[in-house]
Amino acid sequence: MPTFKIAIIGTGHVGLVSGACFAEKGNIVICVDNDIEKIEMLNSGRMPIYEPGLDELVERNVKASRLSFTTEIAPAVRASEIVFICVGTPPTPSGQPDLSYVEAVSREIARNLDDTTYRLICEKSTVPVRTGEHVRQTVEKYAAKNALFDVASNPEFLSEGTAIHDTFNPDRIVIGVSSKRAEAMLRSLYESFNAPLIVTDINSAELIKHASNSFLAMKISFINAIATICELTGANVEEVARGMGMDRRIGQAFLRAGAGYGGFCFPKDVEAFIAVAESLGYRFDLLKEVQAVNVAQRDRIIKKIEKELWILKGKTIALLGLSFKPNTDDVREAPAIYIARRLLEKEAIVRAYDPRAIEKARRVLPTIAYCADPYDAARGADCLVLMTEWDEFRHLDLTRLRSAMAQPIMVDCRNVFDPAHVRALGFTYSSVGRP
Ligand code: UGA
């Protein structure tokens, strides 16, 4: 199996997981990040993010000398055949992603190219269509004359919490290229991955990523809108989703009604795609509605709590789950953080528990009470709101939970519990789109 020398620039979720997985396949990988603290952490064997299985994967590959971490971009590029750009593309107030990191990294890469060694510069960060063209022009401007390189796009589809499995077993691998040489290199890099390969032009590859994330966000908003109709009619959204999903053209995935989508990808990417379309002269109003439904879905949670408690001032609310989804400590754009802020605005007292995300939540939300376990969070609460469907919440002792609370009221924003069971235990219970 052919292996490559790879530089990964940007050691966030995508960069770190991809780097470790490429190393596991036998490639020699250098991960670069300008965050000294992060690189020191990684070099001392600690992970900057929680991702199941990542610590062992990193440890194994560092020991085997296939994976290393540095803050120095120049030697990493010079030592590599493929350079992946995995830096952040955070949102700006206009909605357009901030591409200044991609641009800065492109210049740095350019300065380390030469006319004897061919290097493939490959975007993995989620970027607007045509970014590849800008990267190529930038590299051409700053590189030595006759520098040997190509630019390619290879968007990443891993999800947090299942990132390693997703990387090794993706539904598809998308490669956007403008030369046969780049295509051959990426085909060979991915040869041992168990997935169909789509080879296309760079613009299409970039669009596949934004279109896929936006489409999935649209599916979630769609089912959340249906959940609202279910609540108005007494129908059950889970039955509706099951019935819809059995149509293979629709599919079961991403039809779970809940607290709305969060995380660092969907909210940012939908916003970016709207802004990118707008700058190209197309008004993507469909996606604006996807966003509006998502915001409304969160506000409906507050309304559900108010329906039970009327006035929230002075009431104690227990939040179970703070991360935007289970199996991650990521709280960026997490529905739970939004709800906690709204509750604080209404002068409620918030007690929260999460199996992994408390440390990160504390940084953005220092003023709520963080609790040792779910029962501690429930202590004296007038209402318990389940925000993230961590597995450990499915196995709670509900009788113990109820007896810790001042009022046995539960709002289950992820439809984790069986309504009949919870009500039989004495709870006043509401969930999403279920009678
Ligand atoms: C998402 C995509 O699923 C990945 O394919 C993509 O690579 C990634 O963004 C990215 O662009 O980096 P991720 O944000 O990790 O991955 O998480 P998802 O599993 O997609 O969940 C996103 C949000 O949607 C979560 O808040 C989740 O709770 C919510 N969701 C998901 C629902 O409310 N209902 C569903 O049926 C599914």
Side-chain angles (χ1 to χ4, degrees):
M1 189 175 69
T3 56
F4 293 94
K5 294 183 193 120
I6 296 174
I8 304 265
I9 319 293
T11 312
H13 222 108
V14 166
L16 181 55
V17 172
S18 306
C21 290
F22 284 137
E24 180 77 0
K25 291 279 187 187
N27 300 286
I28 305 297
V29 181
I30 307 176
C31 289
V32 186
D33 205 292
N34 59 6
D35 182 341
I36 298 172
E37 218 176 297
K38 191 189 271 184
I39 293 300
E40 278 174 357
M41 248 182 127
L42 285 162
N43 277 330
S44 65
R46 287 172 298 134
M47 296 299 113
I49 49 168
Y50 172 67
E51 179 63 46
L54 185 62
D55 40 4
E56 296 102 24
L57 187 71
V58 167
E59 193 190 333
R60 185 165 58 245
N61 284 285
V62 167
K63 267 201 186 129
S65 304
R66 288 190 298 260
L67 181 62
S68 59
F69 302 98
T70 176
T71 53
E72 299 287 311
I73 190 167
V77 170
R78 277 189 238 123
S80 300
E81 297 154 289
I82 308 178
V83 183
F84 281 102
I85 301 180
C86 300
V87 294
T89 52
T92 62
S94 73
Q96 287 274 6
D98 178 357
L99 297 175
S100 62
Y101 303 105
V102 173
E103 195 266 352
V105 160
S106 305
R107 276 187 281 132
E108 284 250 38
I109 295 170
R111 291 196 187 101
N112 293 287
L113 300 178
D114 56 65
D115 58 3
T116 50
T117 314
Y118 171 86
R119 291 185 183 85
L120 181 59
I121 303 164
C122 198
E123 325 162 320
K124 227 182 210 318
S125 309
T126 302
V127 290
V129 58
R130 288 190 175 159
T131 301
E133 289 172 19
H134 291 294
V135 170
R136 185 179 47 76
Q137 285 161 8
T138 304
V139 174
E140 268 167 6
K141 238 179 251 151
Y142 290 91
K145 218 171 152 223
N146 301 327
L148 288 174
F149 78 96
D150 268 317
V151 171
S153 164
N154 172 219
E156 183 50 61
F157 299 99
L158 62 81
S159 294
E160 293 186 20
T162 51
I164 294 169
H165 178 268
D166 295 348
T167 304
F168 287 132
N169 308 279
D171 286 348
R172 77 302 204 189
I173 290 164
V174 174
I175 286 173
V177 285
S178 58
S179 81
K180 286 283 166 211
R181 191 168 187 180
E183 178 184 339
M185 215 161 179
L186 289 171
R187 271 189 189 279
S188 153
L189 174 68
Y190 282 113
E191 202 178 277
S192 67
F193 285 64
N194 177 29
L197 209 74
I198 294 179
V199 180
T200 179
D201 62 282
I202 296 174
N203 284 341
S204 302
E206 291 166 338
L207 266 175
I208 287 171
K209 173 67 192 209
H210 261 158
S212 299
N213 271 8
S214 299
F215 191 87
L216 291 172
M218 182 179 75
K219 256 185 127 176
I220 297 169
S221 278
F222 190 90
I223 202 64
N224 282 333
I226 300 293
T228 300
I229 296 174
C230 287
E231 287 175 12
L232 295 169
T233 54
N236 186 333
V237 73
E238 289 188 335
E239 298 297 308
V240 178
R242 194 155 63 96
M244 285 171 63
M246 283 170 78
D247 184 328
R248 270 172 297 171
R249 295 168 302 175
I250 298 174
Q252 298 285 353
F254 280 69
L255 286 183
R256 270 180 294 113
Y261 59 80
F264 199 55
C265 300
F266 287 176
K268 166 175 80 76
D269 291 351
V270 171
E271 180 79 19
F273 206 20
I274 291 170
V276 169
E278 192 108 33
S279 71
L280 295 167
Y282 178 70
R283 274 180 37 180
F284 214 149
D285 288 342
L286 176 63
L287 288 184
K288 288 188 183 159
E289 203 49 43
V290 167
Q291 291 181 310
V293 171
N294 201 49
V295 172
Q297 191 67 5
R298 293 175 180 190
D299 290 339
R300 289 176 61 76
I301 297 171
I302 298 290
K303 290 200 188 97
K304 281 179 187 168
I305 305 170
E306 282 178 331
K307 185 169 167 238
E308 299 301 338
L309 298 178
W310 184 22
I311 302 294
L312 298 185
K313 184 174 176 174
K315 300 278 169 60
T316 300
I317 314 289
L319 292 187
L320 293 194
L322 293 164
S323 56
F324 80 98
K325 64 181 220 176
N327 299 319
T328 175
D329 61 353
D330 197 342
V331 297
R332 291 175 295 177
E333 298 287 330
I337 302 293
Y338 177 88
I339 296 297
R341 289 208 174 106
R342 291 290 310 277
L343 292 171
L344 290 179
E345 276 163 29
K346 290 178 181 279
E347 297 179 57
I349 299 150
V350 181
R351 298 175 62 77
Y353 168 74
D354 187 283
R356 294 277 177 178
I358 288 180
E359 200 187 311
K360 288 199 173 152
R362 219 189 276 277
R363 294 182 207 157
V364 292
L365 207 63
T367 54
I368 65 170
Y370 291 99
C371 303
D373 59 48
Y375 308 101
D376 183 24
R379 200 152 39 88
D382 297 288
C383 177
L384 182 142
V385 186
L386 192 145
M387 289 303 306
T388 316
E389 67 278 33
W390 282 92
D391 222 24
E392 80 168 68
F393 298 154
R394 296 179 197 278
H395 310 293
L396 286 172
D397 178 344
L398 293 178
T399 306
R400 188 177 156 202
L401 201 68
R402 196 200 57 202
S403 55
M405 296 176 70
Q407 302 286 335
I409 298 170
M410 190 196 295
V411 178
D412 176 357
C413 302
R414 300 290 185 170
N415 291 349
V416 163
F417 297 112
D418 169 22
H421 175 65
V422 186
R423 285 186 188 123
L425 292 172
F427 280 95
T428 302
Y429 176 81
S430 58
S431 53
V432 183
R434 301 191 300 178

